[in-house]
Amino acid sequence: MKILGIETSCDETAAAVVENGTVVHSNVIASQVDLHHKTGGVVPEVAAREHVLKITPVIEEALQQAGMTLDDIDAIAVTQGPGLLSSLVIGVTAASALSMATNKPLIPVNHIAGHIYANWLGEKADDPIEFPAMVLTVSGGHNELVYMKSHVSFKLIGETLDDAAGEAFDKVARILGLGYPGGPIISRVAMNGNKKRFDFPQAHMGKASYDFSFSGLKTAVLNVVKEEHAREGVLSEEFIADCAASFEEAACRVLSNKLLRAAEEYKVKEVHLAGGVSANRRLRAMVQEKIEQSYYYNALGKKVKLHLKPKLRFAENIAFCTDNAAMIASTAFFHYKKAPHHYVKPFPILADPNMRIYG
Ligand code: KG4
Ligand code: ZN
């Protein structure tokens, strides 16, 4: 089954053709990063206008790169939410129009579920993904721990109470004067830094909690930067690198500890990283290290033995970690497979900026 996926939840206009949820025939992404660089973040109105300009050429390009026409496509998938309303509306409208014009099923997809399914793109027959799995979704807008017992079954067990991890990376990058988007720049700069120089706080949110909070960590970085400014007038390259490395270490430690504690409690076979921050090398390495050494830190900061050794997965291809439409087409396939009768007739869908993960 070949699905054309469309994604416009934030600042990437994307379209892709994916077969049976795993084989990527094309994955086209028109990034607006340069446009938002000037403002240091996404201005919704500016993003929406750009989606209007890009959506048709991006869909055409995705079909062309796949060597297909709309006749070859079996269904249209689109991100319904969460995201910026004015951005989502462009994708939903385009997908609805295509579905109506071609009389092909329209499959609405949750963006976070999409990130989770990025790990299925390129799945190999000799290395199938096994359930149950514990997924850490870490992106600019979202930060969740999701338990998956089977396909498209999502149990939300924890989420951020304030900033998402990616948002924290972006804000700290801005505090350090590193530009937008902050995640990739922080991880690059951090490679030359001393991660032990600053002992930034790690919010564990109580003994049994799987929720996250990054605002205290962000404020702690802001405070040391203000002190350094007052003392030195400028931030040296060394100070910036040490700050970035210490921040990255604190953020990744909280994320990986909670992921492994949840993996242990739910006795999962696999742990997955998903979303833009899953591109982070330190996070990937830290989770793998802990699995190898079979430990995690509990809420009291105590080293605890891990009984099971889950398999770690993340999208090797960075383009699948950040926003893309291939992940949307993949998710749609597994939804369709589970309940094809839901999608027999095209039906109207509404963009939902606050959509929750469900299952
Ligand atoms: O999933 P995504 O593309 O968009 C949302 O759904 O939000 O994630 C974007 C986020 C940004 O905050 C960006 O700074 C972060 O992912 N990011 C990273 C890295 N690459 C992207 N954060 C840390 N390390 C990276 N290498
Ligand atoms: Zn995303």
Side-chain angles (χ1 to χ4, degrees), residues 64-85:
Q64 200 189 7
Q65 282 189 17
M68 293 177 199
T69 69
L70 276 175
D71 290 341
D72 302 307
I73 299 297
D74 301 297
I76 320 282
V78 65
T79 305
Q80 183 174 18
L84 299 171
L85 178 61

Side-chain angles (χ1 to χ4, degrees), residues 7 9-10 111-112 115 139-142 275-276 321-324 327:
E7 150 69 38
S9 67
C10 187
H111 182 80
I112 298 162
H115 276 300
S139 69
H142 306 284
C321 297
T322 46
D323 287 351
N324 66 86
M327 67 187 199

